[in-house]
């Protein structure tokens, strides 16, 4: 699974677009979804778009991060708001290693090594 974060600036928004963005972000907890979610500044000039993208089938794509970026940009375009992309960040969740907090026994074992 890839998590893609796109930072950008909105173009000129009409009243309906502003209302849709305000309704979609009021009280919303930002999260990574397949359709993507926005967080915006109060003036609706800049935004962060978060999108979750499933990886391509094995062996289909050499550049998986590039593939995930394109899928996230398509999800952003589907929302229909005029925008300019400033920055894109991609995290491959398969590569994340979770370090668990250990008890005192594990700390003692590390010191003994």
């Amino acid at each position: 699974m890839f998590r893609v974060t796109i930072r950008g600036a909105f173009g000129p928004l009409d009243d309906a677009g502003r209302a849709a963005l305000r309704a979609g972000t009021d009280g919303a907890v930002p999260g990574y979804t397949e359709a993507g979610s926005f967080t915006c500044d109060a003036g609706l000039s800049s935004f962060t778009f978060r999108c979750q993208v499933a990886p391509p089938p094995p062996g289909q794509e050499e550049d998986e991060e590039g593939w995930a970026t394109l899928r996230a940009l398509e999800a952003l375009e589907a929302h229909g708001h005029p925008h300019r992309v400033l920055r894109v960040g991609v995290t491959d969740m398969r590569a994340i290693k979770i370090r668990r907090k250990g008890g005192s026994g594990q700390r003692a074992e590390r010191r003994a090594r």
Side-chain angles (χ1 to χ4, degrees), residues 62-82:
E62 286 184 36
D63 180 12
E64 289 185 333
E65 286 188 10
W67 185 87
T69 299
L70 289 175
R71 301 294 80 75
L73 289 169
E74 289 171 359
L76 174 61
E77 290 288 332
H79 285 273
H81 303 297

Side-chain angles (χ1 to χ4, degrees), residues 12 15 21 25 27 29 31 37 44 47 53 61 63 68 78 84 88 97 103-104 110-112:
D15 291 338
L21 284 166
T25 58
V29 177
S37 64
L44 298 178
F47 67 87
V53 178
E61 289 290 328
D63 180 12
R84 181 172 42 107
V88 177
K97 296 189 189 315
S104 60
R110 274 189 247 135
R111 278 186 249 142

Side-chain angles (χ1 to χ4, degrees), residues 35-109:
S37 64
F38 284 98
T39 51
C40 313
D41 66 346
L44 298 178
S45 59
S46 63
F47 67 87
T48 300
F49 182 76
R50 292 172 178 83
C51 188
Q52 183 167 296
V53 178
Q60 181 179 335
E61 289 290 328
E62 286 184 36
D63 180 12
E64 289 185 333
E65 286 188 10
W67 185 87
T69 299
L70 289 175
R71 301 294 80 75
L73 289 169
E74 289 171 359
L76 174 61
E77 290 288 332
H79 285 273
H81 303 297
H83 65 275
R84 181 172 42 107
V85 173
L86 301 175
R87 234 178 332 199
V88 177
V90 180
T91 302
D92 185 347
M93 299 306 290
R94 301 170 298 179
I96 301 293
K97 296 189 189 315
I98 299 173
R99 293 179 16 159
R100 307 230 185 258
K101 290 184 178 182
S104 60
Q106 285 183 347
R107 277 186 250 131
E109 183 180 303

